Amino acid sequence: MTENNVEPELRSTIAVLGLGPMGRALAAAALTGGHPTVVWNRTPEKAQAFVAQGAVLAPTAADAVRGASIAVVCMINYGAVRASVADIADWPTGTLVNLSSGHAGEARAMAGWAAQRGISYLDGAILTPAPTVGTRAATILYSGPRSLFDRSRALLEAFGTSVYLGDDIGIGSAYEMALLDLFAMSVGGLAHAFALAIAEGIEPAAFARFAKGIGGLLPDMADRFADQLAVGRFPAEVSSIASAGSAVAHVSAAAAARGIDTTTLQAVQRIIGRAAAAGYGGDSYARLAQFLAEADHADASAELATPKPSLPQLSH
Ligand code: NDP
């Protein structure tokens, strides 16, 4: 780790495959940790800064992993990973640690691919931004065989705080997807809220002062959701689904009046409407999580995924 360079006896070769912003942070952390570091990237020019710092640039991913104890792969998606590591074979001494984003099914398929080739495989997810990597502030989830994690742990400490979730290889990705769901919807909401504020003539800085307060409500809400979901009771002590539905309707009308896209708000309204129609309008918002998890919403999602054409179709 940056603040804790490892003892010489713990140093071991680390390969880093993928040198986007996150891969570069991982390679920098490996070098800072004092580990012999081999890098590979589809676009090799991105490796130059690391070569200047003592890393070895391998011509292929298979060459990069050959003498490594662990190979950390961090790319845009599992498709890129599969394309890059396809040639790796006959590597009994190392562990492939895939920290690229993807869903649990992709992690399980990747583990199947590795098993067929006799490659030891851990999957994982990085929960914090690239600048945290190499410090204790970086949180990295790992899943897969416990023995592999234990064997790799000392090296993985170079990257941040390691959290082992269990031997289900897909569980790290499952956590990551649910957390990205929260992040994506929150950031989308933030952008939409700023758009509405700007359209109403509110200064962005003045709006930010109050927007931070809304974000600050989420930690306690997460605990309240977890408590209510654990016992399956949803008293609306703070606010009900029906009341939240009314608030969303106000916002939707305000956005429409300013000509701002209301698609996401309409989607939330539809979900709330279905929950209310099922008899949950008087329950707390946490009930919505259980409603979404239980109900078969395939039809509703398909309806959203295939919007009706709003323009006349060209005839051929
Ligand atoms: P990207 O998600 O843009 O990934 C860039 C890397 O993917 C580069 O090494 C790029 O190679 C490689 N790549 C893309 N397409 C292909 C392909 N078809 N074949 C081979 N390699 C390919 O950047 P990041 O480094 O930021 O992210 C990497 C992973 O880390 C992602 O899954 C991301 O979700 C995750 N992550 C990133 C965070 C961050 O702060 N950046 C935070 C948490 C997770 P090339 O250079 O040749 O284009």
Side-chain angles (χ1 to χ4, degrees):
M1 313 254 340
T2 306
E3 57 272 70
N4 190 16
N5 209 316
V6 293
E7 298 302 322
E9 64 272 19
L10 290 178
R11 289 180 192 157
S12 202
T13 300
I14 295 178
V16 178
L17 312 178
L19 293 174
M22 186 52 95
R24 292 201 290 276
L26 293 164
L31 282 166
T32 304
H35 301 286
T37 302
V38 184
V39 293
W40 177 82
N41 194 52
R42 178 182 63 170
T43 311
E45 291 74 24
K46 290 185 186 168
Q48 274 164 7
F50 298 106
V51 172
Q53 294 169 56
V56 172
L57 171 61
T60 68
D63 289 320
V65 307
R66 196 159 292 126
S69 300
I70 61 169
V72 179
V73 52
C74 193
M75 294 176 186
I76 192 162
N77 55 36
Y78 278 68
V81 174
R82 289 289 272 269
S84 301
V85 303
D87 293 342
I88 297 178
D90 190 24
W91 182 42
T93 52
T95 299
L96 188 65
V97 184
N98 184 12
L99 298 180
S100 310
S101 297
H103 62 74
E106 292 176 295
R108 293 189 182 111
M110 187 81 207
W113 171 90
Q116 277 174 3
R117 282 158 185 79
I119 294 171
S120 300
Y121 181 73
L122 285 173
D123 205 274
I126 305 172
L127 299 189
T128 46
T132 63
V133 167
T135 74
R136 302 302 308 170
T139 301
I140 308 182
L141 307 180
Y142 296 98
S143 46
R146 172 100 227 184
S147 58
L148 279 187
F149 175 72
D150 288 342
R151 203 168 75 197
S152 311
R153 183 168 201 156
L155 291 179
L156 297 174
E157 288 297 306
F159 304 122
T161 303
S162 308
V163 180
Y164 177 70
L165 294 175
D167 59 7
D168 173 359
I169 195 78
I171 193 69
S173 296
Y175 267 87
E176 185 188 18
M177 289 305 105
L179 290 164
L180 270 180
D181 187 351
L182 173 59
F183 187 69
M185 300 285 270
S186 304
V187 172
L190 192 64
H192 200 278
F194 265 97
L196 184 53
I198 291 165
E200 295 287 359
I202 300 169
E203 284 294 324
F207 182 67
R209 183 179 155 216
F210 294 103
K212 285 181 207 165
I214 303 284
L217 299 175
L218 285 176
D220 282 349
M221 285 185 78
D223 284 336
R224 206 158 55 240
F225 269 47
D227 290 346
Q228 294 194 352
L229 286 161
V231 295
R233 281 197 306 277
F234 303 96
E237 286 151 356
V238 181
S239 177
S240 68
I241 288 178
S243 170
S246 170
V248 177
H250 297 320
V251 181
S252 201
R258 290 290 178 187
I260 294 172
D261 191 298
T262 59
T263 318
T264 49
L265 292 162
Q266 287 175 44
V268 175
Q269 275 182 286
R270 267 200 293 277
I271 293 167
I272 288 175
R274 286 205 302 276
Y280 302 126
D283 287 351
S284 75
Y285 219 63
R287 185 66 180 80
L288 209 54
Q290 188 153 313
F291 176 72
L292 281 168
E294 281 170 354
D296 180 1
H297 300 284
D299 289 349
S301 298
E303 189 187 308
L304 281 178
T306 51
K308 309 235 175 336
S310 53
L311 292 171
Q313 298 296 293
L314 292 175
S315 55
H316 297 279

